[in-house]
Amino acid sequence: MAGSHDVPDASAPPAALDPNAIGFVDSVAIGLNATSPAYSLAAVIGPIAAFVGVNVPGVMLASFVPMLLIASAFYYLNRADPDCGTTFSWVSRALGPTTGWMGGWAIAMTGVLVIGSLAEVGVRFTLLAVGLDGWASDAWILRSLTVLVILLMSLLCVRSTQTSARVQNVLTLLQIAGLLVFVAVALYRVYAGTSSLDAVRPSVDWLNPFGAGGAPLTAGLLLGVFVFWGWESAVNLTEETEGASTAPGLAGIWATVILLVTYVSVAFAVIAYCGPAFLSDRADDEEAVFAALSTEVLGGWDWLVLLAVATSALASTQTTIIPASRTALSMARRRALPDAMGRIHPRHHTPDIATWWVSAIAVVWYLVMHWLSDNALADSLTALSLLIAFYYALTGLACAVHHRHLLTTGLRNLLLLGVGPLVGAGMLCWLLVESVRDMADPANSYSGVSWFGLGPPLVIALFLTLCGIVLMLVWRRVAPRFWKDPFPAPGRPDPLRAARDPESV
């Protein structure tokens, strides 16, 4: 039974998010963990090696370029409008409410697609790290524990932003420490000549992304963008961060830089220790790469790498809930979603209803995908790249449009507010088109079957897009206020201002 302190005073202003709940370091940790570095590397380093061989570090470097440009766009847009809805709010202002609504929908759906998979990987690698291999291979146990983890992480998100940040700090240290130990030992054994596999001496030429040719680079970039995705979770917490107008955006930029260093270092160590052929042979099994390599490199200490992947996936499970729930909150405050999604818990100062809705839909999606087939969940993850490229590209375009009056005031403004974001958006649009072409072929999916004549990942992305369009049209008919007057002129009542600062009205 809830205590009386959970019941808000009817005469009190509505609850708001907790300002200054976290600091800059917390924000960087959240941005890092939202990308799930160890898990992301385990998932893509094999497939990228299959495309480009020893040039995996170069692909990581090339993938970093559009991410840095879009991270810069997030920084400048957040400085102009520190809104937890990020892309939704900024794109609505710059490109119109319909485009902004679809951008917000894309962010929410990325969370739905990936939360279950992240939780499952976290559970599986935790079981492997503690020696419970039998449990890890039991589907019923694995799925039950995965659902439990999603619910526990959701509860943590609802209970306290500060506690969530502290947990993220610990998980960041664990996974980065595990990866650094792996890199150091692997490179030492390569140079000492004690590698148990076909070692290759590292070369600076590996940083050349064009070393394997244009077509392999394109395929590698499609995967490379995925490993950097997620850093913007730091910006979704802007209204709860000290220095809301600048710190979250800087945290996102720093997170991408730290990720670059981490990814390139691990890529060098992995390629050097085992050679690209070892990775290519295991490209279809994300667990085989780090599970096998951790044993080869560390022997009885292989649990360090397994634990790094586990903590990475568990941390990302929590941080991936954040952008989806904060985006839903921002949309509800603008009347773009039902008011209930904009409720903030009176004691915990978090968007509790939005958080539970996101988690519930993610659980249903996870279970349904597994029910469809063993590979359907992996195909739904492949569909992520379309949604990611879509809303990142929208954000880059929105930055240039929003700051269009400043582009002629100096070279710095032209480059940072206009050219950079537009180049990043253009690169992501190109990757979006290439992804659609690739996913149209059923042979390029994990399932290897045709859904309506197309690959399952493309069908999933189109299905989610259609659902968003239908829901938007229905809500626009039921509650058209957002489309008629999304940003009231000065002097007129603004529901967002009231939601951010209840005492001001």
Side-chain angles (χ1 to χ4, degrees), residues 57 60-62 64 228 255-265:
M60 296 296 184
L61 185 61
F64 167 74
F228 280 97
T256 59
V257 173
I258 294 172
L259 287 169
L260 173 66
V261 175
T262 302
Y263 290 159
V264 170
S265 299

Side-chain angles (χ1 to χ4, degrees), residues 93-109:
R93 287 182 182 275
L95 305 177
T98 296
T99 308
W101 199 99
M102 290 305 299
W105 174 258
I107 293 175
M109 289 302 100

Side-chain angles (χ1 to χ4, degrees), residues 191-345:
Y191 283 100
T194 60
S195 171
S196 57
L197 299 172
D198 297 326
V200 183
R201 284 293 180 99
S203 169
V204 70
D205 292 338
W206 295 2
L207 288 172
N208 178 14
F210 300 98
L217 171 60
T218 299
L221 285 174
L222 296 176
L223 296 170
V225 168
F226 168 77
V227 302
F228 280 97
W229 167 69
W231 47 264
E232 75 274 12
S233 290
V235 190
N236 286 104
L237 287 170
T238 183
E239 296 176 38
E240 299 154 85
T241 306
E242 296 177 6
S245 63
T246 56
L250 287 175
I253 292 174
W254 271 103
T256 59
V257 173
I258 294 172
L259 287 169
L260 173 66
V261 175
T262 302
Y263 290 159
V264 170
S265 299
V266 173
F268 265 105
V270 169
I271 295 293
Y273 190 87
C274 65
F278 179 90
L279 298 174
S280 300
D281 292 341
R282 292 159 177 79
D284 294 331
D285 187 352
E286 65 189 25
E287 294 176 21
V289 176
F290 271 18
L293 274 180
S294 60
T295 301
E296 293 285 347
V297 175
L298 300 175
W301 290 87
D302 59 344
W303 59 270
L304 282 172
V305 176
L306 297 175
L307 185 61
V309 176
T311 55
S312 176
L314 292 174
S316 191
T317 302
Q318 180 191 3
T319 52
T320 303
I321 296 171
I322 290 173
S325 62
R326 265 58 178 185
T327 297
L329 166 65
S330 180
M331 294 177 74
R333 293 189 308 198
R334 282 291 177 198
R335 307 296 190 262
L337 284 179
D339 289 346
M341 300 294 284
R343 174 190 135 100
I344 296 176
H345 195 282

Side-chain angles (χ1 to χ4, degrees), residues 373-426:
S373 76
D374 291 337
N375 292 317
L377 186 65
D379 284 330
S380 73
L381 286 182
T382 304
L384 268 178
S385 61
L386 298 179
L387 301 178
I388 295 168
F390 173 68
Y391 79 81
Y392 274 175
L394 281 182
T395 306
L397 179 59
C399 183
V401 173
H402 181 83
H403 295 100
R404 60 189 180 278
H405 301 301
L406 298 176
L407 300 184
T408 58
T409 59
L411 181 61
R412 183 175 182 273
N413 284 342
L414 176 64
L415 294 177
L416 296 180
L417 302 178
V419 175
L422 287 177
V423 170

Side-chain angles (χ1 to χ4, degrees), residues 218-219 221-222 225 382-391 393 424-441 444 454 457-458 461-462:
T218 299
L221 285 174
L222 296 176
V225 168
T382 304
L384 268 178
S385 61
L386 298 179
L387 301 178
I388 295 168
F390 173 68
Y391 79 81
M427 294 176 70
L428 289 165
C429 286
W430 168 67
L431 288 174
L432 177 62
V433 172
E434 292 296 326
S435 294
V436 170
R437 292 177 179 174
D438 183 68
M439 293 179 196
D441 185 354
N444 294 328
L454 300 171
L458 182 57
L462 292 174

Side-chain angles (χ1 to χ4, degrees), residues 11-289:
S11 62
L17 294 172
D18 189 9
N20 303 321
I22 62 174
F24 176 76
V25 174
D26 301 320
S27 191
V28 173
I30 289 170
L32 286 172
N33 279 330
T35 64
S36 191
Y39 161 67
S40 296
L41 283 167
V44 306
I45 198 167
I48 292 179
F51 289 123
V52 301
V54 296
N55 295 103
V56 175
V59 170
M60 296 296 184
L61 185 61
S63 302
F64 167 74
V65 175
M67 288 299 99
L68 180 63
L69 294 174
I70 298 302
S72 177
F74 267 77
Y75 168 76
Y76 286 108
L77 284 169
N78 184 72
R79 195 172 68 172
D81 178 23
D83 188 297
C84 68
T86 60
T87 295
F88 159 73
S89 178
W90 305 330
V91 174
S92 295
R93 287 182 182 275
L95 305 177
T98 296
T99 308
W101 199 99
M102 290 305 299
W105 174 258
I107 293 175
M109 289 302 100
T110 55
V112 167
L113 288 177
V114 78
I115 287 172
S117 179
L118 289 169
E120 182 180 282
V121 170
V123 170
R124 181 183 289 115
F125 273 80
T126 298
L127 295 175
L128 292 173
V130 298
L132 294 175
D133 295 26
W135 284 27
S137 60
D138 187 300
W140 190 90
I141 293 177
L142 187 62
R143 291 170 194 174
S144 298
L145 290 176
T146 295
V147 172
L148 179 61
V149 164
I150 294 173
L151 296 177
L152 289 175
M153 289 300 182
S154 302
L155 179 62
L156 185 60
C157 287
V158 169
R159 296 286 293 183
S160 172
T161 301
Q162 290 176 319
T163 302
S164 297
R166 285 194 287 269
V167 170
Q168 291 299 314
N169 291 340
V170 173
L171 295 178
T172 298
L173 290 175
L174 287 174
Q175 67 174 301
I176 296 299
L179 289 175
L180 288 177
V181 170
F182 174 81
V183 169
V185 175
L187 290 177
Y188 170 79
R189 294 188 61 182
V190 167
Y191 283 100
T194 60
S195 171
S196 57
L197 299 172
D198 297 326
V200 183
R201 284 293 180 99
S203 169
V204 70
D205 292 338
W206 295 2
L207 288 172
N208 178 14
F210 300 98
L217 171 60
T218 299
L221 285 174
L222 296 176
L223 296 170
V225 168
F226 168 77
V227 302
F228 280 97
W229 167 69
W231 47 264
E232 75 274 12
S233 290
V235 190
N236 286 104
L237 287 170
T238 183
E239 296 176 38
E240 299 154 85
T241 306
E242 296 177 6
S245 63
T246 56
L250 287 175
I253 292 174
W254 271 103
T256 59
V257 173
I258 294 172
L259 287 169
L260 173 66
V261 175
T262 302
Y263 290 159
V264 170
S265 299
V266 173
F268 265 105
V270 169
I271 295 293
Y273 190 87
C274 65
F278 179 90
L279 298 174
S280 300
D281 292 341
R282 292 159 177 79
D284 294 331
D285 187 352
E286 65 189 25
E287 294 176 21
V289 176

